[in-house]
Amino acid sequence: MTTTTTLPDPVIDADLLTKTYKLGEHEVHALQGATLKIYPGDLLAIMGPSGSGKSTLMNILGCLDQATAGTYRLDGVDVENLKDDALAEIRNRKIGFVFQSFNLLRRTSALSNVEQPLIYSGLRSRERRERSASALRAVGLGDRLDHQANELSGGQQQRVAIARALVTDPAIILADEPTGNLDSKSGAEIMCLFQRLNEQKGITVIFVTHDQRIASHCRRIIRISDGKIVADEVNADQLKACIDV
Amino acid sequence: MFLIEVIRLAFRTLRSNPLRAVLTLLGISIGVGAVIALISIGSGVQRYVTDQFTSAGTNVITVTPGRMQRGFGGGAFAQPAQLTMSDWRAVANEVQGTSAMGVSFSRASSIIYTGKSSNVNINGVSPQVGAIQGWTIASGRFIDDADIASRSRVLVIGQSVAKDLFESGEDPIDQSVRVNGLPFRIVGTLVAKGASFIGDQDAIAFVPITTAQERLFGSQSQGTSGERTISTILLQANDDASRPAVQRDTTQILADKRKIEPGEPNDFTVLSQAELVNSFGLVLAALTTFLGAIAAISLLVGGVGIMNIMLVSVTERTREIGLRKAIGAKSGAILSQFLIEAIVLATLGGIVGVLIGVAGAALASRLAGIPADVQPASVILAVGFSTLVGLFFGLWPARRASRLSPIEALRFE
Ligand SMILES: Nc1ncnc2c1ncn2[C@@H]1O[C@H](COP(=O)(O)OP(=O)(O)O)[C@@H](O)[C@H]1O
Ligand SMILES: [Mg+2]
């Protein structure tokens, strides 16, 4: 029994991550010792100028890539020495991705799109459908289950993508410029949805963005420059994304 | 369970681009269709020919004058050797292990009845020839020993002759007809055997051999030695096991009687039906295999088509692959997805090909009058082979897909 619990265990615990790309003779130090802890239930933005290493960091945090050096614990699992297939399993169980360009399967129903990660979890068809339907209801698309992905509006497509990220009940959701391809109204709706999911269900969301508007809705903002974390602050005046209700 | 999911996925993907799927599949279908059609027709012809030979009776050995020069089919005889009645008697008296034997003397002629005529082979035969050749009496009787002894002018006719000469409903039995100006009485009709690759088998008539040699074709049957000549000796061996011995003994008996020196070629031919069937069957089987192999090459071409389309598909779906990896697909899952897509494509092509092949074989046999046997084994083999083609040609594209890095795949435009 621990009696000194002040904070829960961090869901992301990264220490001195570096990433070096070799381009022939030349070396690119995309990350130069990034250290960060993220706790469950956070809503956080990683910001920085183009080429500062945001995507590199996100790929590592998302277990799509591995750091050259440093340690990374995700939800209690050391991932730095895992093989490809083990990483795939980690991504399946612990991470939900939301991309700028949605990345839905065309000519495939919303429900079936959301089901895809659960196929790789090895779930039976009935349970998959039930969980996918409830994930779609959670993003407000309970009446669009059988619509083809390419017949939905951009905002709706991104909601399907969010449902797909939610459906595995992951430890974190990584969203890379999720409003980048949306008009401002749909973008606001998506941010409202993220905020609501975060507040009501305690889902941990990490945005990777250079969009100040996204960051202003977050509780915490990490700034990165030249592969180093240069600022990590609580956003004192976090904006409410949901206008009505 | 995962496999079912992947197969379902493959079908969904193929349905999302049906035109491309059909065109790709057609490459395989044409190959499989050609294989099935050719093998069906080949084995149909083979069975047909075998049936024709064996309908004349199994284990039948024929002795004909002259030496067969070219192997099968040529039938060119070197010198005009003659077999005579004494040759027949020597064989009949000495050879062991037969269940029936007979002799014939045949010439082409015509049968006249009330102004109508029928051109046929008139076969002068001994009584057992009918049974050895596999004829069945439709009405009346066959030639018997009394007919032989009395050289009677009686005639047994095949169905084509009956059709030529008589109206339907008219009974040929006991009608009087003329052959070479002589009056003959019809004593029997034969059950039809049907057409064969050597012509209409039912255009035939039998008379006693003595009548043929002495009354109908007297001058033609006069041998150089003064004896009556014959066309064929027919022997039916007891069974398969005794056939070689009968063949060997017959050859020896005739060589001795005809005083052929050891080492000299015989001036007669002893041929067994089985040999004929076998050699014909071998030729046809080789031909069928050869044609099948050529058709199989087109199957490989179809396989290359599948590989091409799968490579295009992997490139087009790079982002999908990246996404699937991001949401947790292992390399094996991606590999099996693309592999099974190729296999489904090829197997569907194979099944469509079987339908094309069966239809093609049926059409060919309808148009050309060749029978076609669709072999279940060749159907299973062709579909199985196309599945293998899919597996083989799908493997490389699928491996390529499974090895893509998720980051690069997601970034792919
Ligand atoms: N695969 C790669 N190979 C070589 N250099 C790369 C690769 N990916 C990124 N980089 C380099 O690493 C640095 C950081 O890139 P990135 O993480 O994409 O930045 P951001 O997402 O913040 O724009 C850049 O200088 C970029 O050119
Ligand atoms: Mg970037």
Side-chain angles (χ1 to χ4, degrees), chain A residues 56-75:
Chain A
T56 304
L57 181 60
M58 195 204 80
N59 289 341
I60 293 170
L61 295 182
C63 297
L64 289 166
D65 201 356
Q66 283 173 304
T68 311
T71 60
Y72 175 30
R73 278 173 78 79
L74 171 62
D75 202 23

Side-chain angles (χ1 to χ4, degrees), chain B residues 288-338:
Chain B
T288 304
T289 310
F290 175 67
L291 291 174
I294 288 178
I297 290 172
S298 66
L299 243 174
L300 288 185
V301 174
V304 173
I306 283 189
M307 176 148 76
N308 181 30
I309 282 300
M310 290 310 296
L311 283 172
V312 169
S313 173
V314 168
T315 306
E316 279 180 356
R317 284 152 68 196
T318 301
R319 281 175 74 92
E320 178 192 330
I321 295 163
L323 172 83
R324 288 186 179 283
K325 289 200 154 185
I327 64 176
K330 298 177 182 172
S331 319
I334 301 293
L335 182 85
S336 48
Q337 180 188 341
F338 282 87

Side-chain angles (χ1 to χ4, degrees), chain B residues 105-352:
Chain B
F105 178 87
S106 312
R107 286 294 180 272
S109 186
S110 49
I111 305 173
I112 315 283
Y113 175 72
T114 62
K116 284 182 267 191
S117 84
S118 179
N119 296 317
V120 291
N121 234 9
I122 304 284
N123 288 269
V125 293
S126 64
Q128 289 183 350
V129 169
I132 295 172
Q133 289 188 341
W135 290 105
T136 311
I137 289 292
S139 64
R141 62 171 180 85
F142 200 69
I143 309 296
D144 63 20
D145 284 323
D147 295 327
I148 305 283
S150 61
R151 296 177 296 152
S152 56
R153 282 167 290 137
V154 293
L155 192 67
V156 176
I157 57 172
Q159 281 303 319
S160 298
V161 178
K163 271 205 197 73
D164 281 349
L165 300 182
F166 301 100
E167 306 299 326
S168 64
E170 198 177 353
D171 185 7
I173 300 294
D174 283 336
Q175 298 293 344
S176 182
V177 296
R178 280 182 177 273
V179 183
N180 278 8
L182 290 177
F184 274 73
R185 182 169 60 92
I186 294 175
V187 295
T189 63
L190 299 168
V191 171
K193 276 190 181 180
S196 88
F197 65 101
I198 37 173
D200 180 7
Q201 298 185 94
D202 296 313
I204 197 165
F206 291 103
V207 298
I209 185 166
T210 45
T211 313
Q213 287 169 325
E214 295 164 33
R215 293 187 146 175
L216 276 174
F217 311 110
S219 58
Q220 295 176 52
S221 71
Q222 199 64 52
T224 45
S225 61
E227 270 193 280
R228 295 291 177 186
T229 61
I230 60 172
S231 305
T232 314
I233 298 172
L234 291 161
L235 302 168
Q236 180 149 34
N238 282 334
D239 46 44
D240 272 340
S242 55
R243 175 168 34 80
V246 171
Q247 207 173 339
R248 198 179 53 236
D249 293 352
T250 306
T251 309
Q252 194 56 53
I253 291 162
L254 285 175
D256 287 351
K257 166 154 190 313
R258 297 167 73 81
K259 300 194 171 59
I260 291 163
E261 300 292 327
E264 286 278 297
N266 293 329
D267 59 355
F268 57 91
T269 303
V270 180
L271 202 66
S272 86
Q273 208 72 254
E275 276 174 351
L276 222 57
V277 172
N278 285 348
S279 58
F280 210 100
L282 282 177
V283 170
L284 280 174
L287 205 66
T288 304
T289 310
F290 175 67
L291 291 174
I294 288 178
I297 290 172
S298 66
L299 243 174
L300 288 185
V301 174
V304 173
I306 283 189
M307 176 148 76
N308 181 30
I309 282 300
M310 290 310 296
L311 283 172
V312 169
S313 173
V314 168
T315 306
E316 279 180 356
R317 284 152 68 196
T318 301
R319 281 175 74 92
E320 178 192 330
I321 295 163
L323 172 83
R324 288 186 179 283
K325 289 200 154 185
I327 64 176
K330 298 177 182 172
S331 319
I334 301 293
L335 182 85
S336 48
Q337 180 188 341
F338 282 87
L339 199 54
I340 284 180
E341 211 174 296
I343 289 173
V344 164
L345 203 57
T347 307
L348 280 181
I351 291 168
V352 171

Side-chain angles (χ1 to χ4, degrees), chain A residues 21 23 28-30 48-57, chain B residues 408 411:
Chain A
Y21 294 108
L23 294 171
V28 179
H29 301 282
S50 186
S52 58
K54 299 185 300 293
S55 297
T56 304
L57 181 60
Chain B
E408 315 235 310
R411 214 187 286 150

